[in-house]
């Protein structure tokens, strides 16, 4: 064969690989998002990878066929690879490897030779090829990202080698240029393998490749009636993903699962829309909780008295606090310690109680001292409820006194519930009298 033609063919192949790389690199520069979509293009992924491998070379292949020697000896092979993933399923890979291939006729007969030849050893100076790599494992709907991929490869390459028969170098003469006179031939690599994801950057590969040489002198022997020579390479290696860490590795993306998510899963879309609506409702509720139309410090959601004039003091429900009554002329004969009556199931002060409370307030502010305020209730309802009601009645009296200027520490309150009735709870008249607050100096 013409070696210059072979070199030109390899050059064209690698130029094609670099051209595809330049196009993909231009796409990469336009993509900044790491949110990968199946129709988003390869630019959203890391697509370059560098691999190293080592394994065993053999003159036999798993598809069988004839061989010039009956046995093979395991020999070491090693190499490197550079791959550009062009899509989810396909990439181009350049490979370079070296090693030795050997075999013998030990089992052929008693003498261990055929036609006087016992063994061969072929040194591979180098083998270089360009392969297409097809991922066939990214077809699982259940997993959005794979952890194991199967792949097949096929391509075109060239190998330079130096065979020896029974230790005799068949092409071992030295030329005028001082180089060994290696044989140069084309070959077709065909293989398969599996890769395991170790991390986002590293994968562990196991592979097997058959190399079909376009000659019958790879083992140094032209054997009449046999086909062209071949050899195989079983290897293990590590592959390192190159590129921005913000992008996922295209090797491990599952296009079918991504497409299913994007196009075929109405339930998922409905869930996303429902989630958006819930978020919008929560945001609206928060805004509503913050809204205070009348500016009284109580949000509209909880304001029971909307429209309160600005500057009005309000309670926790947004309603105006009762104003401290203006001082009134003391009612003749009022001491401030008269019994204060309440309506049924109410702790709201009656207006008729104001003169008594005003008098009591005046006494406490002028003379000091402390007062005990005891609340009571009639026997309607449960004892627990009545106890609470009696406490509320006592606190209403205290609030009034404090609002008129009495120091809160001067007033001690206590709820007594149904205890100590001053009239019978069997009659309405008696129950009216029992709904009361009594005050006394403390």
């Amino acid at each position: 064969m013409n070696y210059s033609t072979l070199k030109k063919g390899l050059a064209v192949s690698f130029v094609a690989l670099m051209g595809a790389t330049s196009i993909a690199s231009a796409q990469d520069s336009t993509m900044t998002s790491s949110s990968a979509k199946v129709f988003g293009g390869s630019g959203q992924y890391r697509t370059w990878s560098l691999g190293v491998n080592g394994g065993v070379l053999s003159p036999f292949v798993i598809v069988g066929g004839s061989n010039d020697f009956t046995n093979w000896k395991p020999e070491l092979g090693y190499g490197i690879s550079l791959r550009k993933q062009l899509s989810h399923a396909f990439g181009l890979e350049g490979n370079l490897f070296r090693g030795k291939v050997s075999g013998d006729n030990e089992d052929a007969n008693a003498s261990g030779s055929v036609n006087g030849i016992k063994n061969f050893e072929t040194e591979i100076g180098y083998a270089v090829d360009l392969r297409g790599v097809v991922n066939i494992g990214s077809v699982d709907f259940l997993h959005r990202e794979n952890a194991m991929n199967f792949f097949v490869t096929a391509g075109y390459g060239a190998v330079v080698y130096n065979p020896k028969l029974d230790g005799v170098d068949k092409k071992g003469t030295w030329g005028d240029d001082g180089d060994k006179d290696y044989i140069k031939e084309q070959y077709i690599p065909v293989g398969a393998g599996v890769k395991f994801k170790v991390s986002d950057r590293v994968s562990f590969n196991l592979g097997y490749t058959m190399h079909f040489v376009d000659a019958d002198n790879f083992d140094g022997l032209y054997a009449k009636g046999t086909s062209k020579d071949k050899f195989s390479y079983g290897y293990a290696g590590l592959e390192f993903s190159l590129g921005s860490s913000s992008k996922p590795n295209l090797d491990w993306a599952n296009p079918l699962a991504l497409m299913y998510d994007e196009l075929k899963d109405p339930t998922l879309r409905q869930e996303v829309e429902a989630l958006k609506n819930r978020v919008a409702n929560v945001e609206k509720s928060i805004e509503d909780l913050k809204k205070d139309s009348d500016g009284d410090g109580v949000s509209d959601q909880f304001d029971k008295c909307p429209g309160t004039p600005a500057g009005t003091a309000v309670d926790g429900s947004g309603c105006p606090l009762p104003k401290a009554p203006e001082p009134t002329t003391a009612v003749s004969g009022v001491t401030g310690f008269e019994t204060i009556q309440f309506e049924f199931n109410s702790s709201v002060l009656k207006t008729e109680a104001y003169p008594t409370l005003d008098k009591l307030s005046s006494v406490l502010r002028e003379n000091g001292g402390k007062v005990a305020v005891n609340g009571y209730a009639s026997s309607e309802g449960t004892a627990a409820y009545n106890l609470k009601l009696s406490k509320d009645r006592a606190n209403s009296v205290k609030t009034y006194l404090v609002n008129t200027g009495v120091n809160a520490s001067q007033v001690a309150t206590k709820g007594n519930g149904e205890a100590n009735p001053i009239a019978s709870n069997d009659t309405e008249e008696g129950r009216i009298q029992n709904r009361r607050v009594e005050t006394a100096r403390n």
Side-chain angles (χ1 to χ4, degrees):
M1 66 169 285
N2 189 320
Y3 184 53
S4 64
T5 301
L6 176 61
K7 290 194 291 183
K8 288 180 181 179
L10 285 172
V12 170
S13 299
F14 277 99
V15 167
L17 173 60
M18 296 308 295
T21 298
S22 299
I23 294 173
S25 297
Q27 292 176 342
D28 286 349
S29 66
T30 63
M31 298 295 295
T32 58
S33 173
S34 61
S35 178
K37 295 184 178 180
V38 69
F39 295 120
S42 61
Q44 63 192 322
Y45 298 93
R46 294 197 306 270
T47 55
W48 280 104
S49 61
L50 178 67
V52 293
N53 56 75
V56 177
L57 288 163
S58 164
F60 292 86
V61 295
I62 60 173
V63 295
S66 59
N67 289 281
D68 298 331
F69 291 83
T70 59
N71 298 317
W72 67 280
K73 295 180 179 179
E75 297 285 359
L76 175 66
Y78 54 93
I80 60 174
S81 65
L82 179 65
R83 184 162 54 85
K84 173 67 176 179
Q85 196 70 25
L86 300 178
S87 70
H88 295 84
F90 181 75
L92 289 177
E93 182 177 87
N95 285 274
L96 175 66
F97 66 94
R98 302 187 64 188
K100 290 183 179 180
V101 180
S102 64
D104 59 40
N105 289 316
E106 184 177 342
D107 297 335
N109 50 48
S111 64
S113 65
V114 175
N115 297 323
I117 303 299
K118 291 185 177 182
N119 58 64
F120 85 96
E121 180 182 272
T122 297
E123 177 189 355
I124 299 176
Y126 68 85
V128 59
D129 59 61
L130 180 66
R131 307 176 191 176
V133 182
V134 178
N135 288 336
I136 58 176
S138 302
V139 292
D140 186 356
F141 280 97
L142 299 179
H143 297 90
R144 282 0 184 203
E145 188 173 284
N146 297 315
M148 181 176 71
N149 267 353
F150 295 93
F151 60 87
V152 293
T153 64
Y156 167 83
V159 58
V160 295
Y161 54 90
N162 184 38
K164 294 180 182 179
L165 290 177
D166 292 337
V168 178
D169 189 347
K170 303 302 293 182
K171 295 289 290 184
T173 59
W174 292 84
D176 295 336
D177 56 2
D179 292 332
K180 279 189 175 182
D181 190 10
Y182 282 96
I183 300 172
K184 309 171 183 69
E185 293 292 353
Q186 304 174 78
Y187 69 89
I188 301 295
V190 178
V194 58
K195 63 172 52 183
F196 303 90
K197 184 176 181 181
V198 178
S199 70
D200 288 339
R201 289 284 187 180
V202 181
S203 64
F204 175 69
N205 299 352
L206 295 175
Y208 178 81
T209 305
M210 300 176 292
H211 307 79
F212 299 93
V213 183
D214 188 25
D216 188 27
N217 61 354
F218 181 76
D219 56 10
L221 181 66
Y222 290 93
K224 185 177 180 180
T226 62
S227 62
K228 295 179 179 180
D229 288 335
K230 48 199 173 291
F231 66 96
S232 64
Y233 180 38
Y235 62 88
L238 295 176
E239 188 172 352
F240 304 91
S241 175
L242 309 177
S244 173
S245 59
S246 65
K247 298 180 180 181
N249 188 348
L250 183 56
D251 251 354
W252 301 110
N254 187 334
L256 294 182
L258 291 174
M259 185 182 296
Y260 182 79
D261 285 348
E262 290 183 38
L263 302 178
K264 301 296 184 182
D265 191 349
T267 301
L268 181 58
R269 291 201 301 272
Q270 291 170 4
E271 290 178 355
V272 171
E273 290 302 319
L275 180 58
K276 289 180 180 178
N277 291 335
R278 288 197 294 270
V279 171
N281 290 336
V282 170
E283 290 176 345
K284 182 178 183 302
S285 297
I286 291 174
E287 289 303 317
D288 290 342
L289 286 172
K290 292 162 58 179
K291 187 176 181 181
D292 180 13
S293 300
D294 56 11
D296 60 2
V298 179
S299 68
D300 292 353
Q301 289 272 355
F302 304 104
D303 198 338
K304 296 181 179 179
C305 299
T308 305
T312 302
V314 298
D315 59 17
S317 63
C319 293
L321 288 170
K323 293 183 179 179
E326 296 295 330
T328 59
T329 303
V331 177
S332 178
V334 174
T335 65
F337 293 94
E338 286 77 12
T339 299
I340 300 168
Q341 302 295 146
F342 290 84
E343 295 292 343
F344 169 71
N345 195 29
S346 173
S347 60
V348 178
L349 292 170
K350 295 181 179 183
T351 56
E352 63 193 48
Y354 292 166
T356 298
L357 294 175
D358 290 339
K359 178 62 175 179
L360 179 57
S361 173
S362 175
V363 170
L364 292 174
R365 284 185 285 111
E366 293 177 3
N367 303 324
K370 297 183 179 180
V371 66
V373 179
N374 292 287
Y376 298 92
S378 56
S379 62
E380 296 98 329
T382 65
Y385 181 82
N386 288 331
L387 179 61
K388 178 180 180 302
L389 182 59
S390 68
K391 291 179 180 179
D392 292 341
R393 288 170 173 167
N395 286 328
S396 292
V397 170
K398 180 176 181 177
T399 300
Y400 187 97
L401 295 173
V402 171
N403 285 339
T404 59
V406 176
N407 192 308
S409 64
Q410 292 180 267
V411 184
T413 62
K414 181 180 180 182
N416 298 283
E418 303 172 10
N420 305 321
I422 58 175
S424 173
N425 279 308
D426 295 333
T427 65
E428 180 59 23
E429 292 78 6
R431 289 191 290 270
I432 290 174
Q433 295 181 58
N434 291 331
R435 300 166 191 152
R436 72 196 190 280
V437 165
E438 295 177 350
T439 57
R441 286 193 179 275
N442 194 353

